[in-house]
Amino acid sequence: MQTVRTSERITEAVTAYLEPALREATARLSQPVRRMAEYHFGWIDADGRPSVPVGFRRRPALVALLCAGSTREAWDAVRGAAVAGTLMSAAGTVHDDIGDQEMLRKGRPTLWTVFGVPAAVQVGVALHCLAFELLATDATPASCELGRQAAFAIRECCSGQIRDLDTEGSSRADLQGALDLLESTIALPTAGVAMVGAVVRGAPVAEVEAAKLFGYHAGMAMAFFDDWEGVWSDARDQLEDPLADLRRRKARAFVAVALRSEGPARDRLAAFYDDSSDPSLAELEQVAALIEECGGRAWLEDRIREHVRLAARALPGAVPDPVARAELAAFVNMIADELP
């Protein structure tokens, strides 16, 4: 673990390291919740047969582990918190898929479409509870602080998701509300796991604060990149519904920016968001072009690059381990490198 790897190799290493601990934690769940959780993680198919997970990035765990260092010993110290963060992220995804009526996740039908909404709701709750159980079992100051921050982030996320659903299908997109949603659902939790990585290695206060700042900006960059990837990249078309957020007329930040412009393109875009008919793929591609014409894409790409720069600026004071620091830099820079 003492050589700097590419972003892809870093993700593979984190996944391979974390998987046994994640499986061990999931095995604590009783049936039938365990089987449904194993399905969500891609370990089995709907009939319970073993399958190979695809498309998982394990980004919260990656940030936590590398903020702790680059050695196996450093990773072992933060493993419990990394697993807990992964469980919380999975729980949020299960519930998001229900609210957003997502049909496809990681190249397979979403949990709620296979097992039903009531069961999927319970799986999400169980995953959250399991995460807090792990943190309580660990009982270190870092885990206690992560638990506190995670509880705050989860309840803020719940409010944000309700606001998100309330703004679907309307041209009255609220830019600040959209930014607050990204902050509460991705940026603040990422800041929390980065902080834990620093705390477990006994970092001084200044390093802990720098790690939180790095995590926040890395989280915002990831959140904005996910928005960009969902509209202007085909990298995950086989794993998720293409242009799903546009289809559901989600009031994303880049859409709010586009709707603040003036002219015929803006009027056509507003008409789409005020409509309720089911659009075709060709119509959604036209909507993406309208957003671009109204400045939404350029604004989004600028925000990605801005937060990547700010994350990189925080790194030297956040992570003293040169290998871990270089690998975190490679990870966040990869986000900007994906842009045209």
Side-chain angles (χ1 to χ4, degrees):
M1 295 175 64
Q2 294 303 303
T3 58
V4 177
R5 297 160 290 193
T6 64
S7 178
E8 182 179 357
R9 292 292 178 264
I10 296 165
T11 300
E12 290 173 354
V14 167
T15 301
Y17 171 81
L18 195 68
E19 205 76 354
L22 186 60
R23 285 177 179 266
E24 181 181 352
T26 305
R28 296 189 183 193
L29 297 169
S30 58
Q31 298 292 8
V33 171
R34 184 201 301 179
R35 180 169 66 91
M36 297 176 188
E38 290 172 344
Y39 173 84
H40 179 72
F41 284 123
W43 301 329
I44 61 173
D45 64 16
D47 295 321
R49 295 171 300 205
S51 61
V52 178
V54 295
F56 288 89
R57 292 167 170 170
R58 301 285 184 255
R59 296 187 299 195
L62 185 152
V63 171
L65 294 172
L66 286 176
C67 280
S70 63
T71 66
R72 177 66 181 241
E73 292 75 19
W75 284 22
D76 286 348
V78 76
R79 179 175 54 200
V83 171
T86 301
L87 292 169
M88 292 177 191
S89 178
T93 300
V94 168
H95 287 165
D96 288 351
D97 285 346
I98 296 170
D100 294 341
Q101 295 188 315
E102 289 279 8
M103 306 298 291
L104 194 67
R105 171 75 59 181
K106 304 294 187 291
R108 56 165 59 189
T110 47
L111 187 73
W112 72 271
T113 65
V114 175
F115 298 102
V117 170
V121 169
Q122 298 305 320
V123 171
V125 172
L127 290 173
H128 270 144
C129 292
L130 178 59
F132 284 108
E133 179 185 343
L134 293 180
L135 293 177
T137 302
D138 196 13
T140 63
S143 294
C144 291
E145 178 60 16
L146 178 59
R148 186 189 69 80
Q149 293 203 20
F152 171 78
I154 290 168
R155 60 185 173 85
E156 287 299 301
C157 177
C158 291
S159 296
Q161 292 293 354
I162 293 172
R163 292 193 298 270
D164 184 40
L165 292 171
D166 286 344
T167 58
E168 284 186 15
S170 171
S171 62
R172 301 184 305 277
D174 176 17
L175 176 57
Q176 189 56 54
L179 293 174
D180 289 346
L181 178 65
L182 295 184
E183 182 178 82
S184 64
T185 57
I186 301 180
L188 292 179
T190 307
V193 295
M195 175 213 69
V196 169
V199 169
V200 295
R201 58 177 164 79
V205 173
E207 279 185 18
V208 173
E209 291 303 313
K212 288 173 64 177
L213 186 63
F214 164 77
Y216 175 85
H217 289 298
M220 288 300 289
M222 289 187 288
F224 281 129
F225 178 76
D226 288 347
D227 281 350
W228 180 88
E229 190 178 42
V231 179
W232 289 288
S233 171
D234 59 3
R236 299 179 70 79
D237 278 359
Q238 300 303 312
L239 301 177
E240 297 172 7
D241 294 332
L243 302 175
D245 281 353
L246 298 188
R247 184 183 303 280
R248 289 189 301 277
R249 296 173 170 85
K250 287 283 186 181
R252 298 300 184 217
F254 64 95
V255 174
V257 169
L259 288 169
R260 286 185 170 188
S261 65
E262 297 180 352
R266 183 270 171 197
D267 294 342
R268 290 171 59 196
L269 184 62
F272 169 79
Y273 274 87
D274 286 330
D275 193 8
S276 60
S277 60
D278 187 22
S280 66
L281 182 59
E283 289 172 323
L284 294 176
E285 291 170 345
Q286 292 174 3
V287 171
L290 288 173
I291 294 171
E292 184 169 358
E293 185 177 345
C294 293
R297 176 175 180 173
W299 178 89
L300 182 59
E301 292 174 355
D302 285 346
R303 297 292 75 71
I304 295 170
R305 294 187 177 98
E306 175 189 20
H307 284 287
V308 166
R309 286 194 300 269
L310 291 171
R313 185 183 301 172
L315 255 181
V319 182
D321 183 317
V323 174
R325 185 169 63 246
E327 293 191 336
L328 281 169
F331 171 69
V332 295
N333 287 331
M334 176 275 298
I335 298 172
D337 290 344
E338 292 286 328
L339 303 179

